[in-house]
Structure formats: structure tokens, C-alpha cells
Amino acid sequence: MSAPSPIDQIAERVERLLVRHEEMRRTNALLVQQVDALTRERDALRARLTTARTRIDAMLERLPPDPGADAPLPSSTSPTP
């Protein structure tokens, strides 16, 4: 059996490259789908976070003021007898 001709070798390499190219295209399409799904999920989570923050801010607004908020903090040093 003789060695394959250079043209046969090139043709074989081109075939392998075409197969690899198609695999890469399919992989890329799957990755694009994953990125799209994750982007939608991120956007939904951001919207939920914004809603939760708004609700918490509204609840904080309804809380009565803390009566001790204006009182001075106790001193950590005590007078020496």
C-alpha cells in the first residue's frame, strides 16, 4: 500500500476541518441559547429585586419613628470618684 498523495492528505484534513466547523457551529448555537436564557433569568431576578426593595422601602416609611433615636448615646467613660 502506498502513501496517500498530498492532495488526498489535504482533502482528508479539509473534511476533518469541515466536521469540526459544524461541531463548533452547533456548540455555539447552544451557548447562544444558554446566554439568552440566563439573560432573561437575570432580568427577571433584577425586576423581582427592584420590586422587593420598593416594598421594603414602603414598609420602612410606615414604621413609627424610633422614640430613642434623638436621645444621646450613653458615654463609655464614667466619672472617677
Side-chain angles (χ1 to χ4, degrees):
M1 182 170 203
S2 65
S5 71
I7 294 203
D8 289 338
Q9 290 175 344
I10 292 171
E12 184 180 327
R13 289 186 73 187
V14 168
E15 288 297 323
R16 286 195 316 251
L17 285 171
L18 288 172
V19 168
R20 183 71 175 139
H21 178 263
E22 186 57 34
E23 289 172 358
M24 298 291 273
R25 283 174 40 110
R26 280 185 268 138
T27 300
N28 186 55
L30 289 172
L31 290 171
V32 166
Q33 289 175 354
Q34 286 180 343
V35 167
D36 289 343
L38 290 172
T39 300
R40 285 190 302 273
E41 182 181 359
R42 181 205 60 202
D43 292 344
L45 289 171
R46 279 184 176 169
R48 288 178 59 192
L49 177 62
T50 300
T51 301
R53 281 185 175 156
T54 302
R55 291 177 64 197
I56 289 172
D57 288 343
M59 284 189 254
L60 289 174
E61 294 281 329
R62 290 194 307 245
L63 285 176
D66 185 6
D70 295 333
L73 293 175
S75 173
S76 62
T77 59
S78 57
T80 332

